[in-house]
Amino acid sequence: MNDRSRKSGQTGGSGNGNGNAAWSGRAGAEAFAAVEAATDWLLGYPFVFRALARRIRGGDVLVDYGCGPGTVADRAARVLGVRVVGVDTSPEMLELARAAGTAVAEFHLVEDGRATGLADGCADAVMCNHVIASLPDEQAVLGVFTEIRRLLRPGAPFVLLATDPACTGREYASLRIGEPGEVYGPGDELTVRLQRTDGTWQEVRNHAWPPGIYPELLESAGFREVAQHHPTVEEAQSLADPALLRARHWTAERERPPLVVTTALAV
C-alpha cells in the first residue's frame, strides 16, 4: 500500500460484500439497491454470465460473493439455470435479497472473512462483482481471493468483474471513476459516482486497484490460467438487452470501456 492510501485510511462499515460505508445498515442497503448500473448491464454482467456459461452446466452451484440485494444473482440463476448461493458481509443486504423473492437458492453471511455455513469445495463456480474496489490493501484483496478459492472445487472457474481505474474522470452512462485529471496508484482512495434509478447520483469512496495486480494475487491464492478482457460496446451487441443498447449513445463506453472481466481456474 502506498503513502497516499495510508493517509486516506480505510473505508468502514459493511456493504455489497466489500466493507463500503456508503452501503452500511438498512439505509445503505436500500441505497445500493437503487443504483441503476446501466454500464454494468451493458459491458459487465452479460460478459460475466458468458464466461460462466462456458464452464458450468444447469444445476451446478454458483456462489455470488458480495451478492448485495441479489439482483445480479437472481439474473444469473435465471439465465444460466444454475443453483445460485449469495454471500455478503451485510445482514441488511441479505435481508433485502431474501425479501425480494429472487431465484437465488440460499444466502449466507460473511463473517471474519469466511462465508458461514459453506463447506470447502462446495461451489462449481464463483462470481464476484465490484467487491475488490472497496478493499483497502493488497492483503484484503488476497484474503477475498483465498476465501473464494476455499469455496471452489479444484478446476472450477472464478469470474471477477471490476472497474478499471485507468479510466479516470470519464462520464460513463451510469458511473464516473475518480476525478478528471487525477492519476491513482494501487490502493489509492478515489470517489466513484453512481447513478440511481431516479436519475440522481451517489458518491462512494473506493480504492484504485489496476487489473494488472490481479494475476499475481490470484496465483498466490491458488488459481491458474488467469485471463483478462475489457468488454466493448461492439461485443455487447450480441449479449446485452437490445432495449438497453438502443436507450443511449454509449459514447464514453465506446471510446474507452471502463470494465474488466478477469477469469481464473481453481488449482
Side-chain angles (χ1 to χ4, degrees), residues 91-243:
E92 293 83 6
M93 289 285 191
L94 296 180
E95 181 183 347
L96 279 183
R98 292 187 182 101
T102 69
V104 180
E106 58 188 79
F107 296 95
H108 295 262
L109 185 66
V110 176
E111 293 184 302
D112 298 322
R114 189 177 180 91
T116 59
L118 292 179
D120 296 1
C122 66
D124 297 298
V126 172
M127 67 176 177
C128 180
N129 302 305
H130 296 307
V131 169
I132 301 305
S134 70
L135 301 177
D137 52 52
E138 287 192 11
Q139 195 61 36
V141 177
L142 179 60
V144 168
F145 289 167
T146 300
E147 172 60 4
I148 288 171
R149 173 61 191 89
R150 181 188 73 82
L151 296 172
L152 285 165
R153 61 171 175 76
F158 171 39
V159 182
L160 174 71
L161 176 65
T163 52
D164 185 347
C167 299
T168 301
R170 292 175 178 264
E171 298 290 345
Y172 294 101
S174 62
L175 81 157
R176 190 183 75 188
I177 307 162
E179 301 300 325
E182 286 287 331
V183 177
Y184 300 92
D188 285 349
E189 277 201 355
L190 52 72
T191 298
V192 174
R193 294 177 70 241
L194 301 171
Q195 189 173 43
R196 301 187 183 99
T197 53
D198 64 1
T200 62
W201 293 81
Q202 176 163 344
E203 292 190 348
V204 180
R205 296 297 287 172
N206 273 344
H207 293 265
W209 292 116
I213 74 159
Y214 299 149
E216 182 177 352
L217 291 173
L218 284 165
E219 289 169 6
S220 296
F223 290 92
R224 60 182 174 85
E225 295 187 29
V226 180
Q228 295 184 314
H229 174 59
H230 284 77
T232 67
V233 175
E234 288 69 28
E235 291 174 300
Q237 302 290 328
S238 61
L239 291 177
D241 180 355

